[in-house]
Amino acid sequence: MTKRPPFLRRIGFRIAVGVAIGFFVASWLTMPLWDFLWSIYHPDMESLSWYEGWTTGEFIAVSLMHTVIGDTLGGASGLIVSRVSLAQLQRIAQQVSAPFGMDDALPGPFLVDGEDEVAQLASALNAMRARSVDLMESLRTRDAARSEWVAQVSHDLRMPLSALVNCLDLLEQRL
């Protein structure tokens, strides 16, 4: 089995970071919505007014809270989504990287589900597998023809040489 790339180079990590950034940005962009919803459900209380009268410490605290919550939720959901979506790709990679010998069957055919990029990859690998099978069959046919030709040439050369050797032996005995 091939060595896995470092964690920071994996697609799952990149998806998780993207989703975490998305959660972070979405949490900041929806703050006015939460303020509006607070005023609807709590008409007797003062509005949240996230944009008015905050001290630097409150702003930093809220920023850290949004960062931690957004990154945690985004990272966890991104990792889950990436693991689920990349599972089929990992199965294909394991099948392709399995060692095989000359007489073993080629890996595949691979399951093509849907019309996404993984299905396109599976289709391309199936097409490459079919071409490889055709080429191997062509090589076997050519190898058999070559072996037959070598046997025929060997026979055709051996018979006259044997006759010549016999004639020379007979000539030597007469002399």
Side-chain angles (χ1 to χ4, degrees):
M1 188 162 162
T2 59
K3 182 181 171 189
R4 293 182 74 179
F7 188 70
L8 297 177
R9 304 277 303 177
R10 293 186 198 157
I11 292 175
F13 174 76
R14 294 175 182 178
I15 291 172
V17 168
V19 173
I21 290 170
F23 267 66
F24 177 73
V25 169
S27 67
W28 273 102
L29 292 177
T30 58
M31 283 184 81
L33 174 68
W34 300 123
D35 188 26
F36 174 72
L37 291 175
W38 179 268
S39 65
I40 289 176
Y41 289 108
H42 302 284
D44 54 334
M45 298 183 80
E46 184 178 318
S47 176
L48 288 177
S49 301
W50 65 272
Y51 47 86
E52 293 177 3
W54 278 13
T55 65
T56 305
E58 290 171 334
F59 183 77
I60 291 172
V62 168
S63 297
L64 287 175
M65 179 183 69
H66 279 269
T67 301
V68 169
I69 291 172
D71 289 349
T72 303
L73 290 176
S77 62
L79 280 175
I80 290 169
V81 165
S82 67
R83 285 181 193 247
V84 168
S85 62
L86 296 176
Q88 183 180 6
L89 188 60
Q90 288 174 342
R91 281 193 304 274
I92 290 173
Q94 286 175 350
Q95 278 183 306
V96 169
S97 64
F100 61 93
M102 287 297 292
D103 294 329
D104 296 337
L106 289 174
F110 305 102
L111 181 63
V112 179
D113 288 342
E115 298 178 9
D116 59 353
E117 291 85 359
V118 176
Q120 290 175 350
L121 174 66
S123 296
L125 286 172
N126 286 337
M128 183 175 68
R129 181 183 185 278
R131 286 193 308 268
S132 297
V133 167
D134 290 344
L135 286 173
M136 288 177 70
E137 187 58 39
S138 172
L139 285 174
R140 283 189 185 108
T141 303
R142 286 182 181 183
D143 190 45
R146 183 193 53 82
S147 295
E148 183 180 326
W149 180 79
V150 167
Q152 185 66 36
V153 167
S154 173
H155 178 266
D156 289 349
L157 288 175
R158 195 176 309 132
M159 292 307 290
L161 287 176
S162 295
L164 182 62
V165 166
N166 288 338
C167 285
L168 290 175
D169 283 343
L170 187 61
L171 181 64
E172 183 182 8
Q173 286 176 1
R174 288 188 183 170
L175 289 175

